[in-house]
Amino acid sequence: MHHALWQSVLGEIELSVSHATFTTWFKNTELVDQNDSGIVIAVPNIFAKKQFEVKFNDQIKTVLAKNGITPKQITYTITTTGKKTRISRETTPQHTQNADDLLPTSVAATNSGSTNPLPAQVGGLNPRYTFDNFVVGSSNDLAYTASQAIAANPGVKYNPLYLYGGVGLGKTHLMQAIGNEIIKSQPGVRVLYISVETFYTEYLNYVRFKKKGFEDKYRNIDVLIVDDMQFIAGKEKTQEEFFHTFNHLHQNNKQIIISSDKPPKSIPTLTERLRSRFEMGMTIDVQMPDFETRCAILKAKASLSGVELGQETVEYLANNIKTNVRELEGALNQLLAYTEMRGISPDISTAEGLLGNVRHSRPQHITSKQIIERTAKHFQLHVDEVCGSKRDKHIVVPRQIAMYLLRSELHLSFPKIAGELGRKDHTTAIHSVEKIEKAIKLDFLIREQVASIREKLYA
């Protein structure tokens, strides 16, 4: 039973972190005990234990809660040569077995159903996320500036703020930084950070068990921060309830901050009235970090661990990991863990060895045929259409994306790319690759399509 539960937890965590982070920290862990007082998780070494205590504990609690487990405490143990040395780290005790214990502090505090003013609360915020440790670059400077303006005057400017972009680009960091800054500068303000899944779960409990006070939990606050709005797709009743919550807060000049991996118009089955409200404030696309930003992030993260990386090492990591900040941080953590356990300094040769291992974990047998087939399948086309002569728009764009992937993934020459797609003139391939490279920076839909195809190629 323990094994099945932990495999379920690891499965969910693997989807939310980079491959490097999962391999370094989570792969060699196990759930060794579960009882009334809590659970015991085995980790391989003291360095891993520190990481789980400081960085991953909240994430594990969240995923355990999704699996119906709310332990009073989590105990970490170190596995050494067949023995387990018990080193504990207690989480917040669960005083009573009721639904409120699953809610953020500020939500549970309002469950009495009273509409009286509430004391200031910090609901669900992680104090580590601040503006001071957020690295600003060309990919996120607009989002950063808007976030600071909101923190200075919540409910006045940019209401609602809607941040969207791929995973690991800093949306959650920025939103929580807003909440933490508001609490710091205006202690009386009531702030609540939740995910859409939390709102959905609590709404279901409200409907099923007729619990009183649900509306007060979300309407007697000053700042509502909602993460992962894309998961509201398909939940009609939840959308209706969130619509009423949104209206109440907005009409009373309360600040609303939302994040998603898609812009409002790209969330399937999102009602038009919600979509229009999400778009009525400030909608900002948080893009992939550029090279300079990636370098700055690596230096900042390493500095927090008390390590100064050489410029060569920083540039090597930044050049080889371009997708998102989480994967970048995962590779850095792996490098720092490896060098600390061996008592050596992190340098470019060590980074090359470790990053090579990460890369080789992906299949190396991707072919031109697989790229073309996967692209055609993604757009529900036949390979013959992608490689044919038709110039319909619904065929031309997939063909250009296929050319871009042949260039970026296999580093084929332009004449070779043109030949793979049945073209005689390689200037067509040059034009297509340049067009998609530009579109990835400006067009969310193209960026999402390319990322989806690439993910499926390496799945």
Side-chain angles (χ1 to χ4, degrees):
M1 180 178 176
H2 296 161
H3 178 75
L5 171 61
W6 192 238
Q7 288 306 306
S8 176
V9 170
L10 290 180
E12 290 195 46
I13 290 175
E14 188 173 12
L15 296 175
S16 62
V17 301
S18 69
H19 175 81
T21 298
F22 184 82
T23 301
T24 303
W25 305 113
F26 291 94
K27 188 174 181 181
N28 297 317
T29 61
E30 62 177 322
L31 176 59
V32 295
D33 193 19
Q34 178 185 352
N35 51 53
D36 292 339
S37 61
I39 66 171
V40 180
I41 299 172
V43 298
N45 52 57
I46 186 66
F47 192 78
K49 192 225 38 151
K50 290 180 180 178
Q51 285 293 109
F52 276 88
E53 289 178 353
V54 174
K55 184 172 181 180
F56 300 122
N57 193 69
D58 290 342
Q59 185 175 11
I60 289 174
K61 285 197 294 183
T62 299
V63 178
L64 282 170
K66 289 183 179 179
N67 285 270
I69 306 297
T70 53
K72 293 180 180 178
Q73 70 178 40
I74 297 178
T75 301
Y76 295 102
T77 75
I78 300 174
T79 305
T80 55
T81 60
K83 294 183 179 181
K84 290 188 173 66
T85 306
R86 186 162 180 148
I87 302 177
S88 65
R89 193 262 192 191
E90 295 187 359
T91 62
T92 304
Q94 182 176 343
H95 299 296
T96 57
Q97 294 293 329
N98 60 54
D100 286 344
D101 293 323
L102 303 178
L103 308 182
T105 305
S106 64
V107 176
T110 71
N111 195 41
S112 64
S114 171
T115 57
N116 294 328
L118 303 172
Q121 300 285 350
V122 186
L125 292 174
N126 186 331
R128 293 191 302 110
Y129 291 126
T130 67
F131 288 126
D132 291 338
N133 58 27
F134 184 84
V135 179
V136 185
S138 60
S139 61
N140 57 31
D141 54 352
L142 177 59
Y144 179 81
T145 302
S147 297
Q148 285 201 312
I150 289 170
N153 294 289
V156 177
K157 297 186 74 174
Y158 312 134
N159 194 20
L161 174 67
Y162 188 105
L163 303 176
Y164 70 92
V167 298
L169 300 182
K171 302 186 299 297
T172 297
H173 188 144
L174 265 183
M175 292 197 304
Q176 295 214 30
I178 295 172
N180 284 320
E181 184 64 25
I182 291 172
I183 290 295
K184 178 181 175 182
S185 60
Q186 305 177 50
V189 174
R190 294 158 295 184
V191 179
L192 173 62
Y193 167 85
I194 59 163
S195 68
V196 158
E197 285 298 309
T198 298
F199 186 87
Y200 169 66
T201 300
E202 292 174 19
Y203 176 64
L204 284 185
N205 290 335
Y206 164 68
V207 173
R208 289 173 59 194
F209 305 116
K210 308 299 181 185
K211 283 182 66 79
K212 295 182 178 179
F214 173 80
E215 292 180 355
D216 288 340
K217 293 176 183 179
Y218 290 97
R219 300 183 190 184
N220 283 337
I221 53 177
D222 301 302
V223 181
L224 177 62
I225 306 173
V226 186
D227 214 344
D228 295 325
M229 183 55 70
Q230 69 271 13
F231 294 123
I232 205 170
K235 301 177 175 69
E236 295 181 8
K237 292 298 183 181
T238 304
Q239 289 190 36
E240 183 178 345
E241 181 60 34
F242 189 80
F243 168 79
H244 294 306
T245 299
F246 183 103
N247 275 353
H248 177 85
L249 293 175
H250 195 270
Q251 289 171 7
N252 287 280
N253 298 318
K254 308 302 183 182
Q255 182 67 50
I256 302 165
I257 306 165
I258 297 168
S259 83
S260 173
D261 64 1
K262 299 178 176 67
K265 63 183 179 182
S266 297
I267 298 179
T269 73
L270 185 67
T271 61
E272 187 59 37
R273 60 184 182 177
L274 264 184
R275 181 178 292 111
S276 65
R277 278 160 178 77
F278 290 166
E279 294 175 341
M280 68 191 289
M282 172 73 84
T283 303
I284 302 175
D285 180 8
V286 181
Q287 301 178 7
M288 293 181 287
D290 56 24
F291 174 75
E292 291 77 12
T293 306
R294 296 196 300 274
C295 288
I297 289 170
L298 285 166
K299 289 180 179 179
K301 297 289 185 183
S303 178
L304 289 174
S305 299
V307 177
E308 185 174 346
L309 289 180
Q311 188 62 26
E312 272 193 336
T313 308
V314 170
E315 291 184 1
Y316 175 79
L317 292 172
N319 268 319
N320 284 276
I321 299 176
K322 305 176 182 179
T323 52
N324 64 62
V325 178
R326 285 181 191 154
E327 188 170 353
L328 194 66
E329 187 177 357
L332 175 63
N333 287 337
Q334 188 176 13
L335 174 63
L336 296 183
Y338 181 88
T339 54
E340 179 167 326
M341 286 186 286
R342 285 160 179 76
I344 60 177
S345 298
D347 55 23
I348 189 169
S349 60
T350 308
E352 286 175 345
L354 289 174
L355 196 58
N357 291 337
V358 172
R359 286 179 152 191
H360 289 308
S361 66
R362 284 183 164 186
Q364 299 297 306
H365 55 275
I366 300 299
T367 65
S368 301
K369 181 180 178 182
Q370 287 174 314
I371 288 177
I372 295 170
E373 288 177 346
R374 176 54 67 182
T375 304
K377 184 177 181 180
H378 180 84
F379 290 100
Q380 298 180 334
L381 297 170
H382 294 294
V383 172
D384 291 344
E385 292 178 291
V386 176
C387 298
S389 59
K390 288 185 178 179
R391 298 197 53 80
D392 300 42
K393 185 176 180 180
H394 75 282
I395 297 176
V396 170
V397 173
R399 183 182 296 143
Q400 291 172 335
I401 289 176
M403 289 183 177
Y404 168 80
L405 290 170
L406 288 171
R407 181 71 173 176
S408 65
E409 302 306 304
L410 301 184
H411 306 290
L412 297 184
S413 66
F414 289 113
K416 179 67 173 174
I417 292 172
E420 293 289 345
L421 274 297
R423 297 298 184 273
K424 294 180 181 179
D425 186 0
H426 72 277
T427 58
T428 302
I430 295 175
H431 169 74
S432 296
V433 172
E434 289 178 348
K435 183 174 181 179
I436 298 302
E437 283 178 343
K438 184 177 181 180
I440 283 175
K441 297 178 181 178
L442 303 174
D443 190 324
F444 172 80
L445 181 59
I446 293 291
R447 184 162 67 248
E448 187 179 51
Q449 289 167 338
V450 171
S452 178
I453 295 169
R454 184 179 279 134
E455 183 179 337
K456 290 172 183 175
L457 279 169
Y458 292 113

